[in-house]
Amino acid sequence: EIDGEQPVILVAEDVEMNMKLIRIMLENMVPGARIRSAVNGKEAVQLIEQEKPDLVLLDIQMPMMDGVEVTRRVRDMEGETARTPVIALTAGVVKEEKERCLRAGVDDYLTKPIIRDELRRVLYQYLNKKEPAEFSELKTE
């Protein structure tokens, strides 16, 4: 992140209710964050290319292109440059799915329904590299 700039977070989720809930949690936890939405995998890849988000929350089961394929494409685009943290959103984490995601380059997981404290952990871990003031509330539990 550039100093003084709010993080850009991309949420790729095709279920509208899930999208709304995640958005509300993000707005509360990271005030001022620029939250972008994608409703399918193809849109997610385009937005990642254009926006270069600081964090991607990516539903694994999405239309047009699943989250594993989206992650592969993102990793191919990045090459050796800075790595965009990709967090898989999944309804049930079976071992095989987890391994597929890891091989594709996913950094972490959140199981649906998303638990506030788990989302807070991910935000802190992947966005809080420089510990800016706006994340101070993430540390107080």
Side-chain angles (χ1 to χ4, degrees):
E1 306 145 86
I2 299 158
D3 286 317
E5 224 180 86
Q6 293 296 345
V8 175
I9 301 171
L10 172 67
V11 182
E13 167 64 71
D14 61 314
V15 178
E16 193 180 341
M17 195 51 159
N18 291 343
M19 176 70 82
K20 282 181 180 169
L21 288 170
I22 294 167
R23 227 188 153 85
I24 290 166
M25 285 194 273
L26 288 172
E27 286 165 357
N28 289 328
M29 289 182 203
V30 192
R34 293 183 299 148
I35 301 163
R36 301 291 181 257
S37 321
V39 294
N40 63 56
K42 215 170 161 179
E43 203 177 283
V45 171
Q46 290 168 341
L47 279 169
I48 291 165
E49 263 182 304
Q50 294 162 8
E51 301 271 338
K52 306 273 186 274
D54 298 294
L55 180 71
V56 177
L57 298 173
L58 181 64
D59 183 16
I60 293 303
Q61 305 294 318
M62 273 193 306
M64 295 180 108
M65 190 187 299
D66 74 2
V68 172
E69 183 58 28
V70 170
T71 304
R72 276 196 199 104
R73 290 188 185 202
V74 169
R75 295 302 176 227
D76 289 347
M77 276 190 296
E78 289 174 332
E80 299 302 309
T81 61
R83 182 181 171 101
T84 305
V86 175
I87 313 305
L89 306 177
T90 175
V93 184
V94 289
K95 192 174 177 237
E96 294 76 30
E97 184 178 53
K98 211 171 192 172
E99 287 168 0
R100 255 183 77 218
C101 291
L102 288 172
R103 278 196 305 274
V106 163
D107 294 290
D108 212 330
Y109 295 88
L110 287 173
T111 306
K112 296 180 198 177
I114 293 171
I115 297 162
R116 268 186 92 74
D117 288 346
E118 280 298 296
L119 179 60
R120 184 175 277 119
R121 173 191 64 78
V122 162
L123 293 171
Y124 181 76
Q125 185 175 345
Y126 293 96
L127 288 180
N128 204 16
K129 306 277 186 243
K130 294 183 187 173
E131 299 205 34
E134 64 265 21
F135 290 105
S136 58
E137 71 140 293
L138 298 180
K139 290 183 274 188
T140 57
E141 264 317 344

